[in-house]
Amino acid sequence: MKGIFSGLEKLGLGKLEKVEVFEDASKKEEEAKKGKRKSAAVSEADFLFEKTYVCPVCDKEFHSKKIRTGKVKLLAADTDLRPKYQYVDCLKYDAVVCPHCGYAALDRFFKFMMPAQARLIRENISANFKGLPATENIYTYDDAIERHQLALLNTVIKKAKESERAYTCLKMAWIYRGKAESLPEDTPDRKEQIQELQNQEKELLENAYTGFEAAFSKESFPMCGMDEITVSYLLAELARRIGRYEESSRWISRVLISREANERIKNRAREIKELLNKDMNRA
């Protein structure tokens, strides 16, 4: 018996003669089960390795868990530029902590240290540091929060630039968001926990906005790897998220009228403007 698509070989489509119009339900179900089994087999630890660092404060060598470059796929980004990856939240592994003296910083800032800053850290952190608790083969969100707290504290103690403090706050806010999103449905008091995590996130976003706004007029670009237009866009979205609508509108306008801004970031700014208008109508 000829198939529904027999004869298509004349059109060069002979290889597609056996395509089913409707997939067999049992086959589809089995394929879905296979996909779930495959996903379950993927472990966060599979994407990690131990990177070697030399602490710029105490000069001792140590190892910290890092994501293997190119091993995870970027799926999307939130409006405030928070990246979201397949299988693992890479943001959990961005804070590097020396287990010997307590110096900590985001990876991009870790090795940069002035002698006066090292002295401040030794006097105020190392002198009291009792070490980090042991971790498993991956960092939990709580592990990541603790490490970022230490990194943020170090930025204050060493009198880091406003941009470094702001960027550390931003990264930490994203981790709180990630934790809230990952809470299982059966978590006791889940709503209350999510609300608390969102409160923590908002406080950090407020600090990030304050820091980036101050740095904008004082520091040179690129700032934390971002050019002036990207920082302007980020400030617009941070201002919107923390309820400073007039300031958000000003930063959005700055992006939209800029001759240096490409169409991609202008489109993102237009999306923010739409969200802002909705927020203002609800306020």
PDB file of all heavy atoms in Angstrom, residues 252-266:
ATOM      1  N   ILE A 252      15.761  56.487  30.051  1.00  0.00           N
ATOM      2  CA  ILE A 252      15.266  55.891  28.803  1.00  0.00           C
ATOM      3  C   ILE A 252      15.408  56.882  27.653  1.00  0.00           C
ATOM      4  O   ILE A 252      15.858  56.536  26.558  1.00  0.00           O
ATOM      5  CB  ILE A 252      13.787  55.460  28.946  1.00  0.00           C
ATOM      6  CG1 ILE A 252      13.668  54.263  29.888  1.00  0.00           C
ATOM      7  CG2 ILE A 252      13.197  55.094  27.579  1.00  0.00           C
ATOM      8  CD1 ILE A 252      12.245  53.894  30.252  1.00  0.00           C
ATOM      9  N   SER A 253      15.029  58.126  27.910  1.00  0.00           N
ATOM     10  CA  SER A 253      15.133  59.159  26.867  1.00  0.00           C
ATOM     11  C   SER A 253      16.578  59.337  26.428  1.00  0.00           C
ATOM     12  O   SER A 253      16.854  59.547  25.241  1.00  0.00           O
ATOM     13  CB  SER A 253      14.579  60.487  27.392  1.00  0.00           C
ATOM     14  OG  SER A 253      13.205  60.367  27.697  1.00  0.00           O
ATOM     15  N   ARG A 254      17.475  59.238  27.371  1.00  0.00           N
ATOM     16  CA  ARG A 254      18.896  59.382  27.058  1.00  0.00           C
ATOM     17  C   ARG A 254      19.335  58.310  26.050  1.00  0.00           C
ATOM     18  O   ARG A 254      20.120  58.586  25.138  1.00  0.00           O
ATOM     19  CB  ARG A 254      19.711  59.269  28.352  1.00  0.00           C
ATOM     20  CG  ARG A 254      21.178  59.641  28.197  1.00  0.00           C
ATOM     21  CD  ARG A 254      21.932  59.430  29.506  1.00  0.00           C
ATOM     22  NE  ARG A 254      23.280  59.948  29.409  1.00  0.00           N
ATOM     23  CZ  ARG A 254      23.742  60.979  30.070  1.00  0.00           C
ATOM     24  NH1 ARG A 254      22.952  61.647  30.885  1.00  0.00           N
ATOM     25  NH2 ARG A 254      25.002  61.369  29.932  1.00  0.00           N
ATOM     26  N   VAL A 255      18.835  57.110  26.218  1.00  0.00           N
ATOM     27  CA  VAL A 255      19.177  56.018  25.300  1.00  0.00           C
ATOM     28  C   VAL A 255      18.522  56.246  23.940  1.00  0.00           C
ATOM     29  O   VAL A 255      19.164  56.112  22.889  1.00  0.00           O
ATOM     30  CB  VAL A 255      18.736  54.653  25.873  1.00  0.00           C
ATOM     31  CG1 VAL A 255      18.986  53.536  24.859  1.00  0.00           C
ATOM     32  CG2 VAL A 255      19.478  54.344  27.177  1.00  0.00           C
ATOM     33  N   LEU A 256      17.244  56.603  23.956  1.00  0.00           N
ATOM     34  CA  LEU A 256      16.490  56.721  22.708  1.00  0.00           C
ATOM     35  C   LEU A 256      16.972  57.850  21.801  1.00  0.00           C
ATOM     36  O   LEU A 256      16.864  57.757  20.573  1.00  0.00           O
ATOM     37  CB  LEU A 256      14.998  56.894  23.010  1.00  0.00           C
ATOM     38  CG  LEU A 256      14.307  55.678  23.642  1.00  0.00           C
ATOM     39  CD1 LEU A 256      12.867  56.006  23.998  1.00  0.00           C
ATOM     40  CD2 LEU A 256      14.367  54.468  22.703  1.00  0.00           C
ATOM     41  N   ILE A 257      17.499  58.924  22.384  1.00  0.00           N
ATOM     42  CA  ILE A 257      17.948  60.046  21.549  1.00  0.00           C
ATOM     43  C   ILE A 257      19.442  59.970  21.213  1.00  0.00           C
ATOM     44  O   ILE A 257      19.947  60.789  20.448  1.00  0.00           O
ATOM     45  CB  ILE A 257      17.654  61.405  22.231  1.00  0.00           C
ATOM     46  CG1 ILE A 257      18.476  61.556  23.517  1.00  0.00           C
ATOM     47  CG2 ILE A 257      16.162  61.559  22.495  1.00  0.00           C
ATOM     48  CD1 ILE A 257      18.340  62.917  24.177  1.00  0.00           C
ATOM     49  N   SER A 258      20.112  58.973  21.770  1.00  0.00           N
ATOM     50  CA  SER A 258      21.556  58.859  21.548  1.00  0.00           C
ATOM     51  C   SER A 258      21.876  58.417  20.124  1.00  0.00           C
ATOM     52  O   SER A 258      21.262  57.481  19.599  1.00  0.00           O
ATOM     53  CB  SER A 258      22.160  57.855  22.533  1.00  0.00           C
ATOM     54  OG  SER A 258      23.515  57.594  22.211  1.00  0.00           O
ATOM     55  N   ARG A 259      22.837  59.054  19.515  1.00  0.00           N
ATOM     56  CA  ARG A 259      23.280  58.669  18.176  1.00  0.00           C
ATOM     57  C   ARG A 259      24.190  57.448  18.226  1.00  0.00           C
ATOM     58  O   ARG A 259      24.369  56.760  17.225  1.00  0.00           O
ATOM     59  CB  ARG A 259      24.019  59.834  17.512  1.00  0.00           C
ATOM     60  CG  ARG A 259      23.124  61.039  17.209  1.00  0.00           C
ATOM     61  CD  ARG A 259      23.897  62.140  16.523  1.00  0.00           C
ATOM     62  NE  ARG A 259      23.045  63.276  16.194  1.00  0.00           N
ATOM     63  CZ  ARG A 259      23.472  64.379  15.605  1.00  0.00           C
ATOM     64  NH1 ARG A 259      24.764  64.495  15.285  1.00  0.00           N
ATOM     65  NH2 ARG A 259      22.639  65.370  15.330  1.00  0.00           N
ATOM     66  N   GLU A 260      24.786  57.201  19.404  1.00  0.00           N
ATOM     67  CA  GLU A 260      25.681  56.057  19.548  1.00  0.00           C
ATOM     68  C   GLU A 260      24.934  54.756  19.809  1.00  0.00           C
ATOM     69  O   GLU A 260      25.470  53.671  19.591  1.00  0.00           O
ATOM     70  CB  GLU A 260      26.668  56.291  20.706  1.00  0.00           C
ATOM     71  CG  GLU A 260      27.777  57.283  20.408  1.00  0.00           C
ATOM     72  CD  GLU A 260      27.294  58.730  20.450  1.00  0.00           C
ATOM     73  OE1 GLU A 260      26.405  59.018  21.279  1.00  0.00           O
ATOM     74  OE2 GLU A 260      27.786  59.544  19.646  1.00  0.00           O
ATOM     75  N   ALA A 261      23.698  54.833  20.283  1.00  0.00           N
ATOM     76  CA  ALA A 261      22.931  53.632  20.616  1.00  0.00           C
ATOM     77  C   ALA A 261      22.488  52.902  19.350  1.00  0.00           C
ATOM     78  O   ALA A 261      21.947  53.526  18.431  1.00  0.00           O
ATOM     79  CB  ALA A 261      21.714  54.010  21.459  1.00  0.00           C
ATOM     80  N   ASN A 262      22.715  51.594  19.319  1.00  0.00           N
ATOM     81  CA  ASN A 262      22.265  50.826  18.165  1.00  0.00           C
ATOM     82  C   ASN A 262      20.774  50.515  18.287  1.00  0.00           C
ATOM     83  O   ASN A 262      20.157  50.725  19.340  1.00  0.00           O
ATOM     84  CB  ASN A 262      23.089  49.539  18.004  1.00  0.00           C
ATOM     85  CG  ASN A 262      23.020  48.633  19.220  1.00  0.00           C
ATOM     86  OD1 ASN A 262      21.945  48.442  19.790  1.00  0.00           O
ATOM     87  ND2 ASN A 262      24.151  48.065  19.614  1.00  0.00           N
ATOM     88  N   GLU A 263      20.204  50.003  17.220  1.00  0.00           N
ATOM     89  CA  GLU A 263      18.766  49.775  17.186  1.00  0.00           C
ATOM     90  C   GLU A 263      18.331  48.698  18.176  1.00  0.00           C
ATOM     91  O   GLU A 263      17.227  48.751  18.724  1.00  0.00           O
ATOM     92  CB  GLU A 263      18.332  49.378  15.764  1.00  0.00           C
ATOM     93  CG  GLU A 263      16.845  49.589  15.496  1.00  0.00           C
ATOM     94  CD  GLU A 263      16.394  51.030  15.731  1.00  0.00           C
ATOM     95  OE1 GLU A 263      17.195  51.970  15.507  1.00  0.00           O
ATOM     96  OE2 GLU A 263      15.234  51.217  16.163  1.00  0.00           O
ATOM     97  N   ARG A 264      19.217  47.746  18.417  1.00  0.00           N
ATOM     98  CA  ARG A 264      18.877  46.656  19.341  1.00  0.00           C
ATOM     99  C   ARG A 264      18.621  47.192  20.748  1.00  0.00           C
ATOM    100  O   ARG A 264      17.612  46.858  21.369  1.00  0.00           O
ATOM    101  CB  ARG A 264      20.004  45.627  19.372  1.00  0.00           C
ATOM    102  CG  ARG A 264      19.771  44.445  20.315  1.00  0.00           C
ATOM    103  CD  ARG A 264      20.862  43.402  20.135  1.00  0.00           C
ATOM    104  NE  ARG A 264      20.764  42.353  21.127  1.00  0.00           N
ATOM    105  CZ  ARG A 264      21.319  42.404  22.331  1.00  0.00           C
ATOM    106  NH1 ARG A 264      22.032  43.481  22.671  1.00  0.00           N
ATOM    107  NH2 ARG A 264      21.197  41.419  23.191  1.00  0.00           N
ATOM    108  N   ILE A 265      19.520  48.021  21.247  1.00  0.00           N
ATOM    109  CA  ILE A 265      19.327  48.527  22.607  1.00  0.00           C
ATOM    110  C   ILE A 265      18.224  49.576  22.650  1.00  0.00           C
ATOM    111  O   ILE A 265      17.533  49.727  23.657  1.00  0.00           O
ATOM    112  CB  ILE A 265      20.654  49.073  23.187  1.00  0.00           C
ATOM    113  CG1 ILE A 265      20.550  49.150  24.727  1.00  0.00           C
ATOM    114  CG2 ILE A 265      20.998  50.447  22.612  1.00  0.00           C
ATOM    115  CD1 ILE A 265      21.865  49.297  25.429  1.00  0.00           C
ATOM    116  N   LYS A 266      18.001  50.280  21.549  1.00  0.00           N
ATOM    117  CA  LYS A 266      16.872  51.224  21.507  1.00  0.00           C
ATOM    118  C   LYS A 266      15.546  50.471  21.574  1.00  0.00           C
ATOM    119  O   LYS A 266      14.600  50.921  22.227  1.00  0.00           O
ATOM    120  CB  LYS A 266      16.941  52.076  20.244  1.00  0.00           C
ATOM    121  CG  LYS A 266      17.990  53.177  20.310  1.00  0.00           C
ATOM    122  CD  LYS A 266      17.891  54.135  19.131  1.00  0.00           C
ATOM    123  CE  LYS A 266      18.877  55.284  19.280  1.00  0.00           C
ATOM    124  NZ  LYS A 266      18.769  56.289  18.217  1.00  0.00           N
TER     125      LYS A 266
END
